[in-house]
Amino acid sequence: MTAPTKPPHSSPSDALSGASQGEDLHAPVIDWFDAHARDLPWRRPEAGAWGVMVSEFMLQQTPVNRVLPVYEQWLARWPRPADLAAEAPGEAVRAWGRLGYPRRALRLHGAALAITERHDGDVPTDHAQLLALPGIGEYTAAAVASFAYGQRHPVLDTNVRRVFARAVTGVQYPPNATTAAERRLARTLLPEDVPTAARWAAASMELGALVCTAKNETCGRCPIAAQCAWRLAGKPEHDGPPRRGQTYAGTDRQVRGKLLAVLREAHAPVPQAALDRVWHEPVQRARALDGLVSDGLVEPLPGGLFRLPLTPPHPKSP
């Protein structure tokens, strides 16, 4: 992504309101990003739109340090969507490794199939066409259009939502789910200049990832600390609905992960007995396996055998 011409700095103000909100934030945040952005492979020009899309799927609910090695292996094996589309979906699940939430692998495989069939193997540039791909939601379509193609779209991930909640709304955390009010605010804050808007999307996300973090935020390093409504209000504690936790030990997610690990390591169908050994509680184990089958991550075979899927879990979209 090429750095855009930077807008002129605005004078800091303690009250961010109306049209001045975005103008007071854009320049300092983009300048900070220019100086402090991480050198990540999906930000390099050679990544292309497919590399950006792969990264966006992998980074959902997964930290960068866990994504990096899997991303590199994935792009080396499948440098274009058609390369992935030519493989069985189970190979995508296998290559996903222990990133977690493996349905993302199936969705990425489904998107690769659709890109190959509908767009001659090229990730579409049109936002509506991106949104029409299977497995692509509001956030991912906007992120690919913005980060890969330099377009003007509000890109609202958890990090951006937290920055906006604190800097503008004056609360510690955003709501558990994205609201219409957040979308309106994001559109209000979006720079009018297209290249600047794309840079702003990446910069505000990086600020949330590195400085305005969920815990132990470092306001002393923040380029907009002097304008932050939450800091100016004395950093009041969150008083909304309880924030969702990320428990894992003992959950069905953990059992699903153990079952999938057996199947990823095997290159032939696996008997039920091999899966039974990974978890002591039979009811939870059976529930987890049923869920994997229902999600299309595991294919049951005659004779009590199981394997990673060889066929897409759903019919191809028209």
Side-chain angles (χ1 to χ4, degrees):
M1 188 184 301
T2 303
T5 302
K6 298 168 191 156
H9 287 275
S10 301
S11 301
S13 89
D14 289 341
L16 295 171
S17 60
S20 69
Q21 285 181 317
E23 294 174 2
D24 287 341
L25 299 175
H26 298 156
V29 172
I30 291 172
D31 282 351
W32 172 87
F33 183 66
D34 289 343
H36 299 285
R38 292 168 290 180
D39 178 20
L40 299 173
W42 44 86
R43 289 179 176 162
R44 299 169 193 161
E46 62 268 24
W50 174 237
V52 171
M53 180 176 285
V54 170
S55 76
E56 289 300 334
F57 272 81
M58 290 185 174
L59 288 164
Q60 294 166 22
Q61 299 177 288
T62 307
V64 165
N65 64 326
R66 289 184 58 202
V67 165
L68 281 168
V70 181
Y71 173 89
E72 299 281 10
Q73 293 162 13
W74 191 285
L75 268 294
R77 181 174 178 180
W78 298 308
R80 290 181 51 80
D83 301 316
L84 176 58
E87 297 252 23
E91 287 306 301
V93 177
R94 194 188 313 278
W96 199 256
R98 303 194 67 84
L99 281 183
Y101 304 98
R103 278 177 290 184
R104 292 179 293 169
L106 288 184
R107 291 171 183 150
L108 185 50
H109 185 272
L113 278 172
I115 291 167
T116 302
E117 294 168 355
R118 304 176 196 172
H119 304 289
D120 297 322
D122 294 322
V123 176
T125 61
D126 182 75
H127 179 265
Q129 291 180 332
L130 286 166
L131 199 55
L133 294 173
I136 303 289
E138 171 190 0
Y139 164 78
T140 305
V144 173
S146 179
F147 302 152
Y149 294 123
Q151 296 177 14
R152 182 180 182 272
H153 297 282
V155 182
L156 274 175
D157 81 334
T158 302
N159 290 315
V160 176
R161 294 173 61 226
R162 186 170 57 252
V163 169
F164 291 176
R166 291 174 180 174
V168 180
T169 311
V171 297
Q172 186 177 17
Y173 298 118
N176 284 335
T178 307
T179 65
E182 288 181 285
R183 293 185 179 94
R184 287 194 297 270
L185 176 60
R187 289 193 295 269
T188 299
L189 295 176
L190 196 61
E192 290 295 330
D193 177 68
V194 173
T196 306
R199 197 69 173 165
W200 162 253
S204 54
M205 186 176 296
E206 190 80 333
L207 185 66
L210 299 184
V211 174
C212 194
T213 50
K215 297 179 181 179
N216 303 316
E217 66 281 349
T218 52
C219 297
R221 294 172 49 213
C222 181
I224 53 171
Q227 300 137 276
C228 176
W230 182 56
R231 192 190 68 82
L232 292 171
K235 300 171 74 169
E237 293 288 331
H238 176 68
D239 64 355
R243 300 178 69 230
R244 293 192 293 259
Q246 290 288 332
T247 55
Y248 181 74
T251 64
D252 284 6
R253 274 189 61 217
Q254 183 182 23
V255 184
R256 285 164 61 102
K258 287 180 175 293
L259 293 170
L260 274 181
V262 173
L263 294 164
R264 281 199 310 271
E265 293 299 319
H267 291 273
V270 171
Q272 178 79 56
L275 297 177
D276 288 346
R277 288 195 289 268
V278 306
W279 196 254
H280 62 282
E281 209 289 305
V283 173
Q284 187 180 27
R285 187 178 64 234
R287 182 172 66 242
L289 182 57
D290 287 346
L292 290 170
V293 171
S294 176
D295 289 341
L297 289 161
V298 173
E299 282 188 1
L301 300 172
L305 299 175
F306 298 87
R307 70 183 178 194
L308 295 178
L310 293 183
T311 55
H314 303 295
K316 295 176 184 177
S317 302

